[in-house]
């Protein structure tokens, strides 16, 4: 399969998620689309059964799944960098290994980007579930969904976390990819902001993903970290302006 034939690359990062990774991959493989896509999975040296599960999927879907496994743990940010750097599609998506998609997500977002050349990335909303699959709500909140504009700018993202969608719902254009610029703090925010510097963002109100409430901290997941995040991000934004 040549690079030109791949419309969408789906980047999955995982570590010790043997309870969830099958659900994640099944939701990606089953997407009904009229274009070619690839799934790149970065396994960060899992110590549970995640490795065995991934190898079975790779053997079953050799033309779709590319498996990257490390000999030592490289961490979330480095895993993200390496997997996204390998993506060959016109559009790139991200999925954490404990989250999953609903049917129609890939086609819907690809169509949004096809029809809006000024837009470089888009998010959907997501159902929130706990570890056993019980629904706990929707991300973002109902109030945020009501007030959020459809098209968002880098300035909007710089001013408020409310304009950052959940990482596992994101699709962006490969031409704006900058994994080498990402640092170790607030990965989801920085991907969103750096992409937004190149064009507009659509935050769709469609609910097409499922976000599992877990232990991983991010700007969008941990309310208690917001004060620290504001200070750090302010420093980074000031540096960007100076540069």
């Amino acid at each position: 399969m040549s690079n030109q034939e791949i419309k969408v690359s789906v980047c999955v990062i995982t570590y010790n998620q043997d309870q969830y990774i099958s659900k994640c991959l099944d939701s990606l493989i089953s997407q009904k689309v009229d274009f070619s896509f690839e799934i790149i999975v970065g396994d960060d040296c899992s110590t549970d059964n995640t490795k065995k599960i991934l190898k079975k999927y790779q053997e079953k879907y050799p033309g779709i799944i590319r498996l990257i496994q490390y000999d030592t743990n490289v961490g979330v940010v480095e895993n993200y960098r390496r997997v996204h750097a390998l993506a060959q599609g016109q559009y790139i998506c991200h999925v954490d290994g404990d989250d999953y998609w609903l049917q129609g997500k890939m086609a819907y977002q690809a169509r949004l980007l096809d029809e809006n050349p000024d837009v470089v990335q888009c998010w959907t909303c997501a159902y929130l579930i706990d570890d056993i699959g019980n629904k706990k709500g929707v991300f973002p909140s109902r109030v945020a969904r009501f007030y959020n504009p459809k098209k968002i700018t880098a300035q909007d993202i710089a001013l408020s976390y409310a304009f950052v969608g959940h990482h596992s719902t994101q699709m962006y254009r490969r031409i704006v990819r900058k994994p080498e610029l990402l640092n170790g703090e607030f990965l989801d925010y920085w991907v969103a902001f750096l992409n937004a510097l190149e064009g507009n963002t659509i935050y769709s109100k469609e609910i097409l993903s499922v976000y599992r409430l877990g232990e991983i901290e991010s700007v969008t997941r941990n309310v208690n970290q917001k004060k620290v995040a504001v200070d750090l991000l302010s420093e980074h934004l000031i540096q960007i302006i100076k540069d």
Side-chain angles (χ1 to χ4, degrees):
M1 184 182 296
S2 68
N3 294 6
Q4 289 74 23
E5 292 176 329
I6 300 173
K7 177 88 168 187
V8 174
S9 295
V10 186
C11 297
V12 181
I13 62 173
T14 185
Y15 173 71
N16 284 356
Q17 292 172 327
D18 58 2
Q19 297 180 68
Y20 314 122
I21 193 64
S22 292
K23 180 78 171 180
C24 174
L25 294 178
D26 287 340
S27 77
L28 308 180
I29 294 165
S30 65
Q31 293 289 307
K32 293 180 174 61
V33 295
D34 59 0
F35 51 77
S36 296
F37 65 92
E38 64 176 354
I39 300 170
I40 308 170
V41 185
D43 174 38
D44 198 10
C45 199
S46 293
T47 58
D48 62 1
N49 287 320
T50 299
K51 287 184 178 181
K52 293 180 181 179
I53 295 171
L54 291 176
K55 286 181 179 178
K56 288 182 180 179
Y57 272 86
Q58 184 185 40
E59 291 170 359
K60 186 174 181 180
Y61 303 99
I64 298 177
I65 294 179
R66 299 168 62 192
L67 179 57
I68 313 300
Q69 293 184 307
Y70 312 117
D71 295 329
T72 59
N73 186 273
V74 299
V76 173
V77 175
E78 184 59 24
N79 194 6
Y80 177 97
R81 283 198 192 104
R82 295 185 187 187
V83 173
H84 281 251
L86 292 172
Q88 300 175 345
Q90 179 183 358
Y91 304 143
I92 302 175
C93 300
H94 178 83
V95 190
D96 292 333
D98 56 345
D99 298 329
Y100 61 93
W101 289 355
L102 300 181
Q103 186 56 249
K105 178 186 180 295
M106 189 187 297
Y108 174 77
Q109 287 185 290
R111 186 169 64 252
L112 280 182
L113 293 180
D114 285 344
E115 296 175 352
N116 295 274
D118 64 309
V119 170
V120 298
Q121 65 183 342
C122 55
W123 298 296
T124 69
C125 298
Y127 287 114
L128 302 173
I129 63 170
D130 61 19
D131 281 342
I132 59 175
N134 296 319
K135 286 186 179 179
K136 295 297 183 178
V138 175
F139 183 92
S141 69
R142 183 171 59 182
V143 172
R145 295 198 304 277
F146 179 80
Y147 284 107
N148 275 4
K150 185 176 181 181
K151 287 193 177 180
I152 296 168
T153 66
Q155 182 179 15
D156 294 325
I157 293 174
L159 291 173
S160 176
Y161 296 129
F163 294 115
V164 177
H166 183 255
H167 218 28
S168 291
T169 75
Q170 185 184 44
M171 179 183 284
Y172 65 90
R173 297 183 189 275
R174 179 165 57 91
I175 59 173
V176 303
R177 173 178 56 187
K178 303 181 188 72
E180 71 281 358
L181 297 182
L182 300 175
N183 60 36
E185 296 160 345
F186 315 112
L187 178 62
D188 47 2
Y189 182 93
W190 276 106
V191 172
F193 179 73
L194 290 171
N195 287 348
L197 292 174
E198 305 298 328
N200 290 320
T201 297
I202 288 180
Y203 201 148
S204 171
K205 299 184 191 306
E206 296 290 327
I207 305 173
L208 291 171
S209 299
V210 180
Y211 158 32
R212 196 179 302 274
L213 298 170
E215 298 177 354
I216 298 175
E217 295 183 357
S218 72
V219 169
T220 56
R221 295 190 183 198
N222 194 327
V223 176
N224 295 327
Q225 294 295 321
K226 282 189 175 181
K227 176 59 174 67
V228 177
V230 168
D231 294 340
L232 286 170
L233 290 170
S234 296
E235 292 176 7
H236 290 316
L237 291 172
I238 290 171
Q239 187 60 48
I240 287 174
I241 292 171
K242 288 180 178 179
D243 294 342

